[in-house]
């Protein structure tokens, strides 16, 4: 697995209009390399649309997306090397946990022998190695979320995007995984050896 490298992300006057409705209106921000940024706002305020613009799934009406000062506004998603965890997790119901996590590696043409090690490392990081042969329907919501997180991390993305907060009572686990990955990035290690157990916190309401 390649060593992860942090990147700067910037938005410059990004807008997205659907007819007369402004889903995103002139948003500018900077996320320095190695930093976490949380977007807070009520339902319908444009958070998901903004993430989809950054990921390349939605074309902005105006403005630019930049990584390390390079303009990537019109670069297709598959060329951006961004990991994304979608609101509904978007797991393939007919694939096992292992094969769901393997999917982005298969698309990238990673040799099967290397892919197996990367997948085990990602599953170890999210504490799901024992469930590798299960299907999404056999998992809890929190476990499905961790599969989606492992799939987003397995190919060592340049930038990780997560749509919506950690749910299903596993907030502590999801946050721990991100900080654990951050520590390993600092150390320059790309595998997920020696993962500690996730701590489950009380589910949030409302």
């Amino acid at each position: 697995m390649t060593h992860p490298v942090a990147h700067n992300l910037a938005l410059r006057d990004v807008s997205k209009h659907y007819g007369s409705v402004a889903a995103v209106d002139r948003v500018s921000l900077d996320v320095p390399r190695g930093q976490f940024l949380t977007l807070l706002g009520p339902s319908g305020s444009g958070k998901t649309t903004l993430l989809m613009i950054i990921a390349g799934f939605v074309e902005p009406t105006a403005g630019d997306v930049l990584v390390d000062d390079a303009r990537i506004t019109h670069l297709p998603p598959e060329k951006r090397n961004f990991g994304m965890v979608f609101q509904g997790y978007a797991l393939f119901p007919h694939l096992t946990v292992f094969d769901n996590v393997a999917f982005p590696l298969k698309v990238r043409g990673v040799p099967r022998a290397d892919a197996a090690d990367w997948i085990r490392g990602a599953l170890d990081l999210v504490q799901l190695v024992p469930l590798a042969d299960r299907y999404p329907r056999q998992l809890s919501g929190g476990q499905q979320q961790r599969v989606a997180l492992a799939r987003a991390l397995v190919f060592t993305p340049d930038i990780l995007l997560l749509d919506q907060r950690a749910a299903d009572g596993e907030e502590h686990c999801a946050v721990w995984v991100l900080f654990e990955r951050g520590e390993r990035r600092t150390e320059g290690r790309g595998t997920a050896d020696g993962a500690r157990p996730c701590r489950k916190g009380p589910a949030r309401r409302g």
Side-chain angles (χ1 to χ4, degrees), residues 3-20:
H3 289 171
V5 177
H7 297 269
N8 295 309
L9 172 68
L11 303 182
R12 294 290 177 263
D13 293 320
V14 170
S15 297
K16 179 61 181 179
H17 292 183
Y18 294 98
S20 61

Side-chain angles (χ1 to χ4, degrees), residues 68-149:
D68 295 336
D69 297 321
R71 184 170 173 266
I72 65 164
T73 311
H74 304 294
L75 197 67
E78 64 273 16
K79 300 292 186 182
R80 298 192 184 199
N81 198 43
F82 290 179
M84 182 154 185
V85 179
F86 297 91
Q87 277 192 27
Y89 313 140
L91 301 180
F92 297 108
H94 63 290
L95 297 181
T96 63
V97 167
F98 187 94
D99 288 335
N100 263 282
V101 177
F103 184 77
L105 300 180
K106 183 177 180 180
V107 170
R108 288 166 174 77
V110 176
R112 191 175 184 86
D114 293 334
D117 289 338
W118 294 16
I119 296 162
R120 281 192 293 269
L123 289 176
D124 186 40
L125 186 60
V126 298
Q127 303 289 289
L128 287 179
V129 171
L131 306 184
D133 294 328
R134 292 192 185 181
Y135 290 88
R137 65 179 179 275
Q138 298 172 310
L139 304 175
S140 69
Q143 289 167 341
Q144 290 180 22
Q145 182 187 57
R146 284 190 275 157
V147 175
L149 182 58

Side-chain angles (χ1 to χ4, degrees), residues 175-197:
V175 170
W176 174 83
V177 166
L178 295 178
F179 277 101
E180 178 76 0
R181 176 174 165 78
E183 290 173 5
R184 290 172 184 196
R185 171 173 294 180
T186 301
E187 295 169 5
R189 288 182 285 171
T191 57
D193 53 353
R196 296 184 297 275

Side-chain angles (χ1 to χ4, degrees), residues 154-192:
V154 70
F155 57 92
T156 313
D158 294 333
I159 290 173
L160 178 64
L161 305 170
L162 299 97
D163 194 5
Q164 211 171 56
R165 66 170 175 80
D168 301 293
E170 305 218 5
E171 293 93 338
H172 291 284
C173 181
V175 170
W176 174 83
V177 166
L178 295 178
F179 277 101
E180 178 76 0
R181 176 174 165 78
E183 290 173 5
R184 290 172 184 196
R185 171 173 294 180
T186 301
E187 295 169 5
R189 288 182 285 171
T191 57

